[in-house]
Amino acid sequence: MMIVMRANATEEQIANVVEIVQANGLRAHLSQGEERTVIGVVGDGRPVPRDQFAFLPGIDRVVPISRPYKLASREFKPDNSIFKINGMRIGGDEIIIIAGPCSVESRSQLLETAYAVREAGAHALRGGAFKPRTSPYSFQGMGEAGLEILAEARQETGLPVVTEVMAPDQVPLVTRYADVLQIGARNMQNYSLLHVVGECQHPVLIKRGMSATIEELLMAGEYVLSHGNRRVILCERGIRTFETATRNTTDINSVPVLKSQTHLPVILDPSHSTGNWEYVTAIARAAIAAGADGLMIEVHPNPATALSDGGQSLKPERFAEMVAQVKAVAQAVGRSVAAAHQTVPPTAR
Amino acid sequence: MMIVMRANATEEQIANVVEIVQANGLRAHLSQGEERTVIGVVGDGRPVPRDQFAFLPGIDRVVPISRPYKLASREFKPDNSIFKINGMRIGGDEIIIIAGPCSVESRSQLLETAYAVREAGAHALRGGAFKPRTSPYSFQGMGEAGLEILAEARQETGLPVVTEVMAPDQVPLVTRYADVLQIGARNMQNYSLLHVVGECQHPVLIKRGMSATIEELLMAGEYVLSHGNRRVILCERGIRTFETATRNTTDINSVPVLKSQTHLPVILDPSHSTGNWEYVTAIARAAIAAGADGLMIEVHPNPATALSDGGQSLKPERFAEMVAQVKAVAQAVGRSVAAAHQTVPPTAR
Amino acid sequence: MMIVMRANATEEQIANVVEIVQANGLRAHLSQGEERTVIGVVGDGRPVPRDQFAFLPGIDRVVPISRPYKLASREFKPDNSIFKINGMRIGGDEIIIIAGPCSVESRSQLLETAYAVREAGAHALRGGAFKPRTSPYSFQGMGEAGLEILAEARQETGLPVVTEVMAPDQVPLVTRYADVLQIGARNMQNYSLLHVVGECQHPVLIKRGMSATIEELLMAGEYVLSHGNRRVILCERGIRTFETATRNTTDINSVPVLKSQTHLPVILDPSHSTGNWEYVTAIARAAIAAGADGLMIEVHPNPATALSDGGQSLKPERFAEMVAQVKAVAQAVGRSVAAAHQTVPPTAR
Amino acid sequence: MMIVMRANATEEQIANVVEIVQANGLRAHLSQGEERTVIGVVGDGRPVPRDQFAFLPGIDRVVPISRPYKLASREFKPDNSIFKINGMRIGGDEIIIIAGPCSVESRSQLLETAYAVREAGAHALRGGAFKPRTSPYSFQGMGEAGLEILAEARQETGLPVVTEVMAPDQVPLVTRYADVLQIGARNMQNYSLLHVVGECQHPVLIKRGMSATIEELLMAGEYVLSHGNRRVILCERGIRTFETATRNTTDINSVPVLKSQTHLPVILDPSHSTGNWEYVTAIARAAIAAGADGLMIEVHPNPATALSDGGQSLKPERFAEMVAQVKAVAQAVGRSVAAAHQTVPPTAR
């Protein structure tokens, strides 16, 4: 942390800051420039609280130096975190694709989609049973009945299941059915929830909040890691900006930034980051070209009748075409899409 | 809802959209312009799902017409909602001020602050027992011990207590101690939580999410109202923008916009919306000048040692000066600050 | 400037940075923390270019310490800049109000408005003769004919004239007619234009760009000041954010921030910062409550027929009501609105 | 345009709006819903001014239906605009790469870079002679001497030259030396400048303003097209958002959105859109994967000594590696990078 004094700070004010720094068990290094003094605050490696100092007289600004996360950083763990999820391997050279409908709407809708996405090359199945909806009057998801359908689809297709958990007290229920617990964008800073999923053994997929910085996404990952769960996947899904031509703005920069800052796998969800099926394939290709480790795609057998997010869902045949294009781009950047999921007869699992 | 067709949409595509509109039990009105056709979709008053239509061939855009909230709107209830909270009346002509530390840190810190803010003219006491913190390594609040201290401070000073609840399963605990349940900015779209507080009898103060639109804030209010709880307070606390000179950008426009759209009381928190104690008084004055019904202010007896948000906290003497200035502005706009809380001996309550 | 090295930077990399710092005629101060080294770069007071260093191996970040502006800063000139513009005094305790239509549309429209705003208490007349319009098909302003009408209105009413100049080669023309040269938001970083107006003797009113930071607004002021023109007024007019309920987001925080950073007068334009006449009065009151030195307001005798920005224009009678309310708020914050312009018979001027 | 009436609008108010619509030579279509009336306004194809209506009593909102641009739209011209620039063909299947330093700093720096980028496969040379700089104290460019060096480099290497023009009165000078006139991001809404370049015969490259919407970028293109110049290239260069991990946020969505809305060539500048050389190659690959027609890249032989933007410049050898990677991605999406520029002996040109 660097404390920048005002140009007109008095010697007493500078001495006072130094004294308080030292009273906190930290060391102070003075740099006296022509215009102003800067005090470097050096600690023992733990993050130093900025707020205490901001208030002291004579201070202009407090500038953080250390990153506020540790377990999530590449400096802490230089190699990529690679882990297996029910047969799917994520974080290595092979790219994985998670696909499925926004919401579980019925047994037939989900099974039809699950077979279709497996056929097209998906490695895991997504689908929401609990849906965070802006309106209290919108479809809120099927709840546990939806989880049962997801488990049946896994049984039938062998695809591991990714589904959202919205509240700490839902975690025991959802872990009974799901392979990966998804933390939705609106809950990225729901610390009660992050705490609980950090204590369970299931892999966690954290979606970036729509106004969360990359650093805050890493801090959300750090929450989960710090409670003992090491299997965390980070997902860019678009941020909120002034641009209204698309629902969100895909922060494609976040892909190389995250890959340089963290060892955790990084995937991108172009369905939400564009909000428009017409742009999903182009942005899926871009994500892989930028270095993402995977994709999360909304697919619906009949988007026009979807109970949520139909406008951003691909039909199965377009999804298959997208997978083909993504494979070509993956090869161009020296990677490959993981082999299609092997059809395993339910009895053999 | 208006469906805007592409300029080159075919007659078949237009007929197809009309058919699907009607199949959904809605009526379609065609406006054929020189360049393109627009189809007005008319329903029975319930919100019409946009997503279903966005995908149909030949469609350029779908434009919503109705507001997605109803119970929160002035069209539904033209007069201001005014309600009492343990002696404090909010939503009428009189302005109320909620003040206290960011976090409850100790019995002495809280009691000292509670007496000081009551002395200076505050009408309610704020203080966090459960703290949503970006870092898992930061102080997370005192938990139930903090709630007990808050209840003691209320007992001592007579000030009603406003405190944050972070998770659905905390609601029963927090309602035992608090007078107003605060939903923090990071939980504004935590629908599980909004649902539960909507079912309880305590007034709810909802802070605007840092990237939530005004409409989304109203939708959060609608969630609570739709579950039966009619005592909802909305709080502007700054939004996230590109500007970095202040922690957040106070969206002062939200005050007159909210007051014209909703009957619910609207307050402003200049401590968070600026992030800097130096600007708090100026923005508190501006809030009242713009028409806010109240203020929420961080006050700490010794900001330099605060465990959280010290840099934006006022010392008690500055807070008293702020109250004096706010009173003058309130009068200038034809309102007044509510009378200071009467000291009620604990035994008389 | 502080150069933050990566945690794993080698001693050679650190030595190399120090060497290059010194080769640039600057001094380097090392702070070696537990985790990383920070190098303070100290110069002779002139801004140090950051870009040179960002590229060197082993560097994590470069953090600026000095502010990049000097002449505009309060550290350079602690007292408010106060100056006279054709009888109007700006920057002191008295608040001034600039009012008039968005565009000059005709002689009768402008004269009617000029008399009306003077009657209501305005101190200067605004009106655009050259209009920057998003669409090449929109009304682009009356050009020199509009300037002639503005000059006639000044002759008739005695009100000094504020009007926009859009290009360097328009400056000689506009200075023949106007009292204050306005730099529009879209031209705030048009450095060719800032350079030319910096060399002329007319006061300059700079509107903040819709995505300009407060620091960039101050840098635009510094451009003009650095070319010798000391009469610069800064104007907040709303920034572009994700919020769409209003055309722009009034950055009310910018008022106290600017007043603490600079000695230049600061005014606010609530017509543009809200984009909706219904909210103009509330935000005008807020601006004065927050400490602004003046207001800029769009007034049109018949907004429904205005050729531009009718939706955000006040009718003269509403403007008069706004002035009355602003006077009350000014008093509440220990200031006053300047006395109404004295009617001076044209012949006596 | 659709005029949405308030739920409580009276019949008189509705009739009044209809009357004014008709008085403007437009037709009004009424859709009466359960809750409110919507009035469709139909004209003769020219954009209808919204502002006139926003003010009328009883109106809730005015929603535009037509796009405000015409010549730039795919509806007007369905096929891609393809044009030649001194031997380089842009807008077709072949991708082009423009490369060079941010600023022309010296003859030797520019010639060295020009030869290096041609060797690596660039098709055109960029370099600024007039530099828009935030600080009046920064290097402002070499001016005409820089233009002469650019022309010499073209003579030597055969690469066409792209350089910025900052003011209308610079246009005649710059067109004497340059092949493509660049409009910088800060001047994207400098309408005086757009007007003048629209009247000249040189191709124009318009960089998106850092807070300009995609629609506003298209409107800037429309300005140039509407004055008769049909050779316009649009360039995404990152937008300003709350994220600070990178200098700007690359709006990768803008690539497929622009390609679907306009026939004009679309390129991307990852040097500015990331602000960090480490991320340039990843985002260059992503741009091509998303469908861009070209790239604009900053290259400097010695970034550590660059007078501007060194931190985002690639060294020539890294640039060559980037070109190789971009070629692979181009092939993966069914396109190719245009053949390297043929060395043409100066005498043969």
Side-chain angles (χ1 to χ4, degrees):
Chain A
M1 188 172 71
M2 309 302 298
I3 299 177
V4 183
M5 302 301 294
R6 291 175 198 256
N8 59 3
T10 63
E11 303 236 335
E12 287 72 31
Q13 289 173 333
I14 295 170
N16 178 46
V17 172
V18 170
E19 196 176 305
I20 290 177
V21 166
Q22 291 168 345
N24 275 268
L26 306 163
R27 276 174 297 135
H29 285 242
L30 262 69
S31 296
Q32 256 146 336
E34 299 291 312
E35 284 197 352
R36 57 180 83 228
T37 295
V38 177
I39 302 171
V41 178
V42 180
D44 56 4
R46 281 176 310 155
V48 177
R50 290 167 66 180
D51 275 341
Q52 260 86 316
F53 298 95
F55 195 83
L56 298 175
I59 286 185
D60 184 46
R61 271 173 301 154
V62 179
V63 179
I65 296 300
S66 297
R67 299 189 191 290
Y69 51 89
K70 183 165 183 171
L71 305 176
S73 74
R74 271 218 189 271
E75 293 181 348
F76 175 75
K77 178 175 183 313
D79 296 330
N80 285 340
S81 283
I82 303 177
F83 42 86
K84 278 201 168 177
I85 302 168
N86 204 358
M88 176 175 78
R89 197 162 164 274
I90 187 166
D93 281 346
E94 294 192 336
I95 281 155
I96 57 96
I97 302 174
I98 304 167
C102 178
S103 307
V104 182
E105 296 168 11
S106 70
R107 187 174 173 280
S108 62
Q109 169 247 16
L110 191 74
L111 287 177
E112 179 183 348
T113 311
Y115 279 113
V117 300
R118 190 187 65 176
E119 174 77 18
H123 310 92
L125 177 67
R126 61 154 290 157
F130 296 101
K131 298 301 303 173
R133 300 302 297 275
T134 315
S135 168
Y137 311 121
S138 297
F139 174 60
Q140 310 276 320
M142 291 181 72
E144 186 166 2
L147 294 175
E148 284 167 6
I149 294 172
L150 284 164
E152 183 183 351
R154 176 179 49 196
Q155 181 76 359
E156 292 283 328
T157 62
L159 295 175
V161 160
V162 181
T163 198
E164 178 161 354
V165 58
M166 284 176 65
D169 54 13
Q170 283 174 357
V171 173
L173 176 69
V174 178
T175 51
R176 279 214 302 282
Y177 295 99
D179 298 286
V180 179
L181 302 179
Q182 178 179 319
I183 303 297
R186 288 173 186 75
N187 279 318
M188 194 203 85
Q189 297 192 311
N190 181 337
Y191 300 117
S192 306
L193 182 57
L194 294 174
H195 187 131
V196 174
V197 300
E199 286 174 344
C200 80
Q201 299 304 316
H202 273 55
V204 176
L205 187 159
I206 306 177
K207 300 194 89 171
R208 181 178 181 184
M210 77 178 97
S211 72
T213 61
I214 292 172
E215 188 173 286
E216 288 169 342
L217 173 59
L218 288 164
M219 288 305 288
E222 185 85 2
Y223 250 91
V224 177
L225 295 170
S226 73
H227 286 99
N229 190 338
R230 296 298 155 109
R231 294 194 293 172
V232 174
I233 302 163
L234 303 178
C235 181
E236 164 69 27
R237 48 75 73 203
I239 57 173
R240 183 165 272 184
T241 70
F242 61 81
E243 178 58 69
T244 55
T246 48
R247 185 180 292 188
N248 292 293
T249 296
T250 309
D251 182 5
I252 193 79
N253 289 358
S254 73
V255 175
V257 172
L258 284 168
K259 291 301 293 177
S260 80
Q261 305 291 335
T262 186
H263 51 86
L264 298 171
V266 174
I267 71 172
L268 193 140
D269 172 350
S271 304
H272 283 88
S273 79
T274 64
N276 188 329
W277 67 270
E278 292 187 74
Y279 307 134
V280 167
T281 300
I283 302 305
R285 292 189 313 244
I288 300 308
D293 299 310
L295 296 167
M296 191 165 197
I297 308 286
E298 284 192 4
V299 178
H300 196 284
N302 188 358
T305 66
L307 295 182
S308 58
D309 282 349
Q312 68 194 35
S313 296
L314 294 184
K315 291 183 186 176
E317 54 271 27
R318 285 188 200 278
F319 173 66
E321 171 59 22
M322 185 212 84
V323 173
Q325 295 187 20
V326 163
K327 281 182 182 172
V329 173
Q331 268 193 309
V333 297
R335 301 180 75 168
S336 60
V337 173
H341 199 280
Q342 297 304 317
T343 307
V344 185
T347 53
R349 292 180 78 244
Chain B
M1 188 172 70
M2 309 304 296
I3 299 178
V4 182
M5 303 301 294
R6 291 176 198 255
N8 58 4
T10 61
E11 303 234 336
E12 288 71 31
Q13 289 173 333
I14 295 170
N16 178 45
V17 171
V18 170
E19 197 176 305
I20 291 177
V21 165
Q22 292 168 343
N24 275 267
L26 307 162
R27 273 173 299 135
H29 286 242
L30 262 68
S31 297
Q32 257 146 334
E34 299 291 313
E35 285 197 352
R36 58 180 82 229
T37 295
V38 176
I39 302 171
V41 179
V42 179
D44 56 2
R46 281 175 309 154
V48 177
R50 288 168 66 181
D51 275 339
Q52 260 87 318
F53 298 96
F55 195 83
L56 297 176
I59 286 185
D60 184 48
R61 271 173 302 154
V62 179
V63 179
I65 296 300
S66 297
R67 301 191 189 290
Y69 52 89
K70 183 165 182 171
L71 305 176
S73 74
R74 271 222 188 268
E75 293 181 348
F76 175 77
K77 179 176 183 311
D79 295 332
N80 286 339
S81 282
I82 303 176
F83 41 86
K84 278 200 167 179
I85 302 169
N86 205 358
M88 175 175 78
R89 198 164 164 274
I90 186 165
D93 281 347
E94 293 192 336
I95 281 154
I96 58 95
I97 301 173
I98 304 166
C102 178
S103 307
V104 181
E105 296 167 12
S106 70
R107 186 175 174 280
S108 61
Q109 169 247 18
L110 190 75
L111 287 177
E112 179 183 349
T113 312
Y115 278 113
V117 300
R118 189 187 65 176
E119 175 77 19
H123 309 91
L125 177 66
R126 59 154 291 156
F130 297 100
K131 297 301 302 174
R133 300 301 298 274
T134 315
S135 168
Y137 311 120
S138 296
F139 174 61
Q140 310 277 321
M142 291 181 71
E144 187 165 1
L147 294 174
E148 283 167 6
I149 294 172
L150 284 164
E152 183 182 351
R154 174 181 50 196
Q155 181 77 358
E156 292 284 328
T157 62
L159 295 175
V161 160
V162 181
T163 198
E164 179 161 354
V165 57
M166 283 177 65
D169 54 13
Q170 283 174 357
V171 172
L173 176 69
V174 178
T175 50
R176 279 214 302 281
Y177 295 99
D179 298 287
V180 178
L181 302 179
Q182 178 178 319
I183 304 296
R186 289 172 186 77
N187 280 318
M188 194 203 85
Q189 296 192 312
N190 181 337
Y191 299 117
S192 306
L193 183 57
L194 293 175
H195 187 131
V196 173
V197 301
E199 287 173 343
C200 82
Q201 299 305 313
H202 272 57
V204 176
L205 187 160
I206 306 177
K207 300 194 89 172
R208 181 178 180 184
M210 78 178 95
S211 71
T213 61
I214 292 172
E215 189 174 285
E216 288 170 342
L217 173 59
L218 287 164
M219 288 304 289
E222 185 85 2
Y223 250 91
V224 177
L225 295 169
S226 72
H227 286 101
N229 190 336
R230 296 298 157 106
R231 294 194 292 171
V232 175
I233 304 162
L234 303 178
C235 181
E236 164 68 28
R237 46 76 74 205
I239 57 173
R240 182 166 273 185
T241 70
F242 62 81
E243 179 59 67
T244 54
T246 48
R247 184 181 294 189
N248 292 293
T249 295
T250 309
D251 182 6
I252 192 79
N253 289 358
S254 73
V255 175
V257 172
L258 284 168
K259 292 301 292 177
S260 79
Q261 305 291 335
T262 186
H263 51 87
L264 298 171
V266 174
I267 70 172
L268 193 141
D269 172 350
S271 304
H272 283 88
S273 79
T274 64
N276 188 327
W277 68 269
E278 291 186 77
Y279 307 133
V280 166
T281 299
I283 303 304
R285 292 189 313 244
I288 300 309
D293 299 310
L295 295 167
M296 190 165 197
I297 308 286
E298 284 192 4
V299 178
H300 196 283
N302 189 357
T305 66
L307 294 183
S308 57
D309 282 348
Q312 68 193 36
S313 296
L314 294 183
K315 291 183 186 176
E317 54 270 30
R318 285 189 201 276
F319 172 67
E321 170 60 22
M322 185 212 82
V323 173
Q325 294 187 19
V326 162
K327 281 182 180 171
V329 173
Q331 268 194 309
V333 297
R335 302 179 75 168
S336 60
V337 172
H341 199 280
Q342 297 303 316
T343 307
V344 185
T347 51
R349 291 180 78 244
Chain C
M1 188 171 72
M2 309 304 296
I3 298 178
V4 182
M5 302 301 294
R6 291 176 198 256
N8 59 2
T10 63
E11 304 236 334
E12 288 71 30
Q13 290 173 332
I14 296 170
N16 178 44
V17 172
V18 170
E19 196 175 305
I20 291 177
V21 165
Q22 291 169 343
N24 275 267
L26 307 162
R27 273 173 298 135
H29 285 242
L30 262 69
S31 297
Q32 255 145 337
E34 299 292 311
E35 285 197 351
R36 56 180 84 230
T37 296
V38 176
I39 303 170
V41 178
V42 180
D44 55 2
R46 281 175 309 154
V48 177
R50 289 168 66 181
D51 276 339
Q52 261 88 316
F53 298 95
F55 195 82
L56 298 176
I59 286 185
D60 184 47
R61 272 173 301 153
V62 179
V63 179
I65 296 301
S66 298
R67 299 191 190 289
Y69 51 88
K70 182 165 185 171
L71 305 176
S73 74
R74 272 221 188 269
E75 293 181 348
F76 175 76
K77 179 175 184 310
D79 296 331
N80 285 340
S81 282
I82 303 175
F83 41 85
K84 278 201 166 177
I85 301 170
N86 205 359
M88 175 176 78
R89 198 164 164 273
I90 186 166
D93 281 347
E94 293 191 336
I95 281 155
I96 59 95
I97 301 174
I98 304 166
C102 178
S103 308
V104 181
E105 295 167 13
S106 70
R107 186 173 174 280
S108 62
Q109 169 247 18
L110 190 75
L111 287 176
E112 180 183 348
T113 311
Y115 278 113
V117 300
R118 190 186 67 176
E119 175 77 18
H123 309 93
L125 177 66
R126 62 153 290 158
F130 296 100
K131 298 300 302 173
R133 300 302 298 274
T134 315
S135 168
Y137 312 120
S138 296
F139 174 60
Q140 309 277 320
M142 291 182 71
E144 186 165 1
L147 295 175
E148 283 167 6
I149 295 172
L150 284 164
E152 183 182 350
R154 174 179 51 197
Q155 181 76 359
E156 292 284 327
T157 62
L159 294 174
V161 161
V162 181
T163 198
E164 178 162 353
V165 58
M166 284 176 62
D169 54 13
Q170 283 174 357
V171 173
L173 176 70
V174 177
T175 50
R176 280 214 302 282
Y177 295 98
D179 298 287
V180 177
L181 302 179
Q182 178 179 319
I183 303 296
R186 288 173 187 76
N187 281 316
M188 194 204 86
Q189 297 192 311
N190 181 336
Y191 299 117
S192 306
L193 183 56
L194 294 174
H195 186 131
V196 173
V197 301
E199 287 174 342
C200 81
Q201 299 304 314
H202 273 56
V204 176
L205 186 158
I206 306 178
K207 299 194 89 170
R208 181 179 181 183
M210 76 179 98
S211 71
T213 61
I214 293 172
E215 188 174 286
E216 288 169 342
L217 173 58
L218 288 163
M219 288 304 289
E222 185 85 3
Y223 250 91
V224 176
L225 295 169
S226 72
H227 286 100
N229 190 338
R230 296 299 156 106
R231 294 194 293 173
V232 174
I233 302 162
L234 302 179
C235 180
E236 164 69 27
R237 46 76 73 202
I239 57 173
R240 181 165 273 183
T241 70
F242 62 82
E243 179 58 67
T244 55
T246 48
R247 184 180 293 188
N248 293 292
T249 296
T250 308
D251 182 5
I252 193 80
N253 290 358
S254 74
V255 175
V257 172
L258 284 168
K259 292 301 292 177
S260 80
Q261 305 292 334
T262 186
H263 50 87
L264 298 171
V266 174
I267 71 173
L268 193 141
D269 171 351
S271 305
H272 283 88
S273 79
T274 64
N276 188 329
W277 68 270
E278 290 186 76
Y279 307 133
V280 166
T281 299
I283 303 304
R285 293 189 314 243
I288 300 309
D293 299 310
L295 295 167
M296 190 165 196
I297 308 287
E298 284 192 3
V299 178
H300 196 284
N302 188 357
T305 66
L307 295 183
S308 57
D309 282 348
Q312 68 192 37
S313 296
L314 294 183
K315 291 181 187 178
E317 54 271 28
R318 286 189 200 277
F319 172 68
E321 171 59 21
M322 184 211 83
V323 173
Q325 295 187 20
V326 162
K327 281 182 181 171
V329 174
Q331 269 194 310
V333 298
R335 301 179 75 169
S336 61
V337 173
H341 199 282
Q342 297 303 315
T343 307
V344 186
T347 51
R349 292 180 77 244
Chain D
M1 188 172 73
M2 309 303 297
I3 299 178
V4 183
M5 302 301 294
R6 291 175 198 257
N8 59 3
T10 63
E11 304 235 334
E12 287 72 32
Q13 289 173 333
I14 294 169
N16 179 44
V17 171
V18 170
E19 196 176 305
I20 291 176
V21 166
Q22 292 169 344
N24 275 266
L26 306 163
R27 273 172 300 135
H29 286 241
L30 261 70
S31 297
Q32 254 145 337
E34 298 292 311
E35 285 197 351
R36 56 180 83 227
T37 295
V38 176
I39 303 171
V41 178
V42 180
D44 55 3
R46 282 175 309 155
V48 177
R50 290 167 66 180
D51 276 340
Q52 261 87 317
F53 298 95
F55 194 82
L56 298 175
I59 285 185
D60 184 47
R61 273 173 301 153
V62 178
V63 179
I65 296 299
S66 297
R67 302 191 189 290
Y69 51 89
K70 183 165 183 172
L71 304 176
S73 74
R74 272 220 189 268
E75 294 181 347
F76 175 75
K77 180 175 182 310
D79 297 330
N80 285 341
S81 283
I82 303 177
F83 40 86
K84 278 201 167 178
I85 301 169
N86 205 359
M88 176 176 77
R89 196 162 164 276
I90 187 165
D93 282 346
E94 294 191 336
I95 281 154
I96 58 96
I97 302 174
I98 304 166
C102 179
S103 307
V104 181
E105 296 167 12
S106 70
R107 188 175 171 279
S108 61
Q109 169 248 16
L110 190 74
L111 286 177
E112 180 183 347
T113 311
Y115 278 113
V117 300
R118 191 187 65 175
E119 175 77 17
H123 309 91
L125 177 67
R126 60 152 292 156
F130 297 100
K131 298 300 304 172
R133 300 301 300 272
T134 316
S135 168
Y137 311 121
S138 296
F139 174 62
Q140 309 277 319
M142 291 181 71
E144 187 166 0
L147 293 175
E148 284 168 4
I149 294 172
L150 284 165
E152 184 184 349
R154 174 180 50 196
Q155 180 77 0
E156 293 283 328
T157 61
L159 295 174
V161 160
V162 181
T163 198
E164 179 161 354
V165 57
M166 284 176 64
D169 54 12
Q170 283 174 358
V171 173
L173 175 69
V174 177
T175 50
R176 279 214 303 280
Y177 295 99
D179 298 288
V180 178
L181 302 178
Q182 178 179 318
I183 303 297
R186 288 174 186 76
N187 279 318
M188 194 203 84
Q189 296 191 312
N190 181 337
Y191 300 117
S192 305
L193 182 56
L194 293 174
H195 187 133
V196 173
V197 300
E199 287 173 342
C200 80
Q201 298 304 312
H202 273 56
V204 176
L205 188 159
I206 306 177
K207 300 194 89 171
R208 181 178 180 184
M210 78 179 94
S211 72
T213 61
I214 292 172
E215 188 173 287
E216 288 169 343
L217 173 58
L218 287 164
M219 288 305 288
E222 185 86 1
Y223 250 91
V224 176
L225 295 170
S226 73
H227 286 101
N229 191 337
R230 296 298 155 107
R231 295 194 292 172
V232 174
I233 302 163
L234 303 179
C235 181
E236 164 67 29
R237 47 75 74 204
I239 57 173
R240 182 166 273 184
T241 70
F242 62 81
E243 178 58 68
T244 55
T246 48
R247 185 181 291 189
N248 293 292
T249 296
T250 308
D251 182 5
I252 192 78
N253 290 358
S254 73
V255 175
V257 172
L258 284 169
K259 291 302 292 178
S260 80
Q261 305 291 335
T262 186
H263 51 87
L264 298 172
V266 174
I267 69 173
L268 192 141
D269 171 351
S271 305
H272 283 88
S273 79
T274 63
N276 188 328
W277 67 269
E278 292 187 75
Y279 307 133
V280 167
T281 299
I283 302 306
R285 292 188 314 243
I288 299 309
D293 299 309
L295 295 167
M296 191 166 195
I297 308 287
E298 284 192 3
V299 178
H300 196 284
N302 188 358
T305 66
L307 295 183
S308 57
D309 281 348
Q312 68 193 36
S313 296
L314 293 184
K315 292 183 186 175
E317 54 271 30
R318 285 188 200 277
F319 173 66
E321 170 59 21
M322 184 211 83
V323 173
Q325 294 186 19
V326 163
K327 281 181 181 172
V329 173
Q331 268 194 310
V333 297
R335 301 180 74 168
S336 61
V337 173
H341 199 280
Q342 297 302 317
T343 307
V344 185
T347 52
R349 294 179 76 245

